[in-house]
Amino acid sequence: MSTSIFVGHAKPPSNTVSGQMYTILSVVCEVDMETGIIVAAEFTVATDLAKDYLNRLLAGRSLGSDEDAIVAELEGCYFSGTQKALIQCFRDMAKRYRAQVGASRPDAPAEPVPPAG
């Protein structure tokens, strides 16, 4: 299988419906590892409409080149008390993707060794 699952988390504000329903918000993305394209996405938010909207926003987008554009779209079109937490979830998920892609690349620089002392 050429896809992998990446998950990001954030704490929602307690004064939102999602905050009342979930102690942690998550985004789960299925990503094509050959291209970095998000195949499907799901957020733990309160309504099916918001889940569908966010899936359409992410599906087909590249984690390699579209991360900042996706965040800008979330800021410009998703108006909710959970907006910042959803952005944090997305950034956390994208960070996990970058860590995995960097770890699997043979030409990736090695982690620096801390000085003995």
Side-chain angles (χ1 to χ4, degrees):
M1 182 172 270
S2 68
T3 62
S4 294
I5 295 288
F6 294 91
V7 182
H9 306 284
K11 185 167 177 49
S14 61
N15 64 339
T16 63
V17 173
S18 291
Q20 295 295 313
M21 293 177 66
Y22 306 106
T23 56
I24 297 291
L25 290 181
S26 299
V27 59
V28 180
C29 290
E30 180 183 3
V31 180
D32 183 313
M33 294 306 291
E34 294 175 11
T35 64
I37 300 293
I38 299 169
V39 176
E42 187 172 322
F43 283 86
T44 53
V45 291
T47 68
D48 289 338
L49 178 62
K51 289 176 187 177
D52 291 343
Y53 182 86
L54 292 164
N55 182 46
R56 289 192 316 270
L57 180 77
L58 295 183
R61 305 293 291 273
S62 170
L63 282 175
S65 60
D66 293 342
E67 183 177 345
D68 290 337
I70 291 168
V71 169
E73 285 186 53
L74 286 167
E75 291 172 339
C77 66
Y78 192 86
F79 302 103
S80 167
T82 59
Q83 180 196 63
K84 289 180 190 217
L86 292 176
I87 290 169
Q88 187 176 347
C89 283
F90 174 75
R91 291 257 193 223
D92 185 46
M93 180 278 305
K95 179 180 172 183
R96 292 173 198 271
Y97 167 79
R98 286 191 308 276
Q100 183 62 36
V101 170
S104 66
R105 286 188 4 225
D107 61 340
E111 290 292 318
V113 177

